[in-house]
Amino acid sequence: MWDKRNDMIVYETEPFNAEPPPTALAGQPLTPIDTFYSRNHGPTPDIDASTWRLHVDGLVDRQLDLSLAELRQLPVQTVVATLECAGNRRAELNAVRPISGQEPWGPATISTAEWTGVRLADVLAAARPRAGAAHIAFAAPDIARNASPPQPYGASIPLSKASSGEVLLAWSMNGRPLPRVHGGPVRVVVPGYIGARSVKWVHRITAQPEPSDNYFQATAYRLLPSDGIRGPGRGIPLGPAILNAAILAPGNGAAVAAGPTSVTGYAFSGEHTVARVDVSPDGGQTWSQATLAQPASPWTWQLWHTTLSLPGGPALITARAWDDTGATQPEQPATVWNPEGYANTAWPRVQVDVRSPVR
Ligand SMILES: Nc1nc2c(c(=O)[nH]1)N[C@H]1C(S)=C(S)[C@@H](COP(=O)(O)O)O[C@H]1N2
Ligand SMILES: [Mo]
């Protein structure tokens, strides 16, 4: 479905929610479109690019109403950026204490693409936000039935982020027209922020003094205290992505031959840089450093690899990333467990069975 690879892990078909098997992401700086995860809260709209329009309003000197052809007259910009769903790795939180009504995402709800479009900053410069504008809200037409009350998808980011050069209104992904399921004809791409802020099928941009009151900004995508009571303004709103990492290969539960074992994964720290990744062959007793690949841009994950020499029998491979501020990942999912199951950044672990060659 949606031209995805056959081995995609599909949690729901309508709305479409799917991630690739972790090994499909291994060693690839850019994720092929057929492998890129997809997260949807409502049915995928079918928007005619020739009649699509973008309205810019709110606290601006000049309201805009742009066609795609008009948008394309602004300077074209390409940014390679990683999108990570805030629910990435929720399955490991479910194992601590079950989280109901949320997709049990594995560690592959993250992908990287080359996005092309125009800078949101250039559109805002044309509209000229007024004094008092502090947030830029995005609205889309897809209606999320599970929102309370049911409503179209929306989100916002601070004006300072919206005015930075990296935030795009994109119509192309990996050199191809933006596929419908990924937000075509035009989506927002907010590099360094949780995926939820990269609003697909965007049709309205509003400058305002406060963050969006849309359900997905005001109520969902927040770290709730353990009482789990949700409501507008409750919990810590998620914006910039938090330092995270995963092991992509070998896969969890894999059998590997004794001797040197190649271990690969990603680390991602949103607006920061990953400074180091440590890998342990024994569940965190001893550590060595992985080799970090040069990232394709400041806005992408950093792939890493190392070779471990594992003794025979069961082994627990563990990793932990550090960023350029010295922050590192918490050891246990229980430390970061939260009622909606967002932002699991605990040490990733992969259990393997090391088999000695038969003599
Ligand atoms: N209009 C709209 N935009 C949306 C969503 C949505 O459901 N509707 N999902 C958000 C979430 S939670 C994520 S993680 C990303 C997923 O983008 P993708 O489907 O291109 O991977 O889109 C975001 N933008
Ligand atoms: Mo998400």
Side-chain angles (χ1 to χ4, degrees):
M1 197 192 242
W2 300 111
D3 295 326
K4 293 294 171 186
R5 51 193 292 149
N6 291 331
D7 58 358
M8 210 74 181
I9 303 162
V10 179
Y11 299 98
E12 267 184 299
T13 53
E14 188 64 66
F16 184 61
N17 283 297
E19 68 179 311
T23 50
L25 296 178
Q28 301 200 78
L30 284 192
T31 313
I33 292 178
D34 74 348
T35 305
F36 204 104
Y37 84 95
S38 192
R39 173 71 178 114
N40 297 286
H41 294 275
T44 308
D46 189 359
I47 297 162
D48 181 352
S50 68
T51 56
W52 173 86
R53 299 193 78 84
L54 179 67
H55 305 279
V56 183
D57 60 10
L59 288 174
V60 293
D61 280 345
R62 213 172 125 226
Q63 296 204 358
L64 305 175
D65 180 25
L66 302 169
S67 67
L68 187 50
E70 286 164 335
L71 194 68
R72 282 171 172 272
Q73 281 165 19
L74 290 167
V76 173
Q77 174 76 1
T78 292
V79 175
V80 183
T82 296
L83 290 190
E84 181 186 24
C85 184
N88 189 31
R89 306 185 57 210
R90 179 180 288 126
E92 297 158 64
L93 297 177
N94 272 320
V96 175
R97 188 136 65 92
I99 295 155
S100 63
Q102 302 276 4
E103 317 286 340
W105 296 111
T109 322
I110 179 169
S111 299
T112 301
E114 182 186 89
W115 310 96
T116 299
V118 297
R119 293 183 193 89
L120 175 59
D122 289 344
V123 173
L124 293 176
R128 294 192 305 268
R130 289 197 194 141
H135 296 268
I136 299 298
F138 309 116
D142 55 317
I143 307 228
R145 255 192 310 114
N146 291 339
S148 135
Q151 59 194 276
Y153 192 86
S156 65
I157 58 173
L159 175 61
S160 53
K161 179 70 177 178
S163 308
S164 69
E166 69 266 15
V167 179
L168 297 186
L169 299 173
W171 57 72
S172 162
M173 181 178 186
N174 291 353
R176 307 223 323 251
L178 186 62
R180 232 179 99 193
V181 79
H182 290 294
V186 177
R187 79 176 299 167
V188 185
V189 175
V190 186
Y193 272 43
I194 61 163
R197 308 307 174 218
S198 290
V199 174
K200 304 191 270 191
W201 317 289
V202 61
H203 63 187
R204 185 173 173 200
I205 295 178
T206 305
Q208 53 192 57
E210 301 292 336
S212 170
D213 61 6
N214 185 278
Y215 174 83
F216 295 98
Q217 185 76 41
T219 303
Y221 291 107
R222 286 174 172 254
L223 297 181
L224 295 177
S226 53
D227 62 22
I229 299 168
R230 39 154 71 196
R234 275 205 111 231
I236 304 164
L238 294 168
I242 305 170
L243 175 65
N244 207 352
I247 299 165
L248 295 171
N252 196 24
V256 302
T261 301
S262 166
V263 182
T264 68
Y266 65 77
F268 182 52
S269 63
E271 300 194 300
H272 294 286
T273 302
V274 176
R276 198 174 83 210
V277 173
D278 300 332
V279 183
S280 169
D282 49 20
Q285 305 295 306
T286 61
W287 300 92
S288 59
Q289 286 165 43
T291 303
L292 277 174
Q294 193 62 36
S297 92
W299 304 109
T300 71
W301 56 17
Q302 285 162 263
L303 301 180
W304 54 265
H305 66 94
T306 192
T307 304
L308 296 180
S309 157
L310 301 169
L316 184 61
I317 305 172
T318 306
R320 65 175 184 211
W322 302 73
D323 75 15
D324 58 0
T325 69
T328 190
Q329 300 177 252
E331 181 172 345
Q332 296 295 341
T335 309
V336 289
W337 189 95
N338 60 96
E340 312 269 70
Y342 298 123
N344 176 19
T345 56
W347 295 357
R349 294 170 172 83
V350 158
Q351 184 77 52
V352 295
D353 183 20
V354 186
R355 300 203 177 143
S356 307
V358 182
R359 284 167 218 249

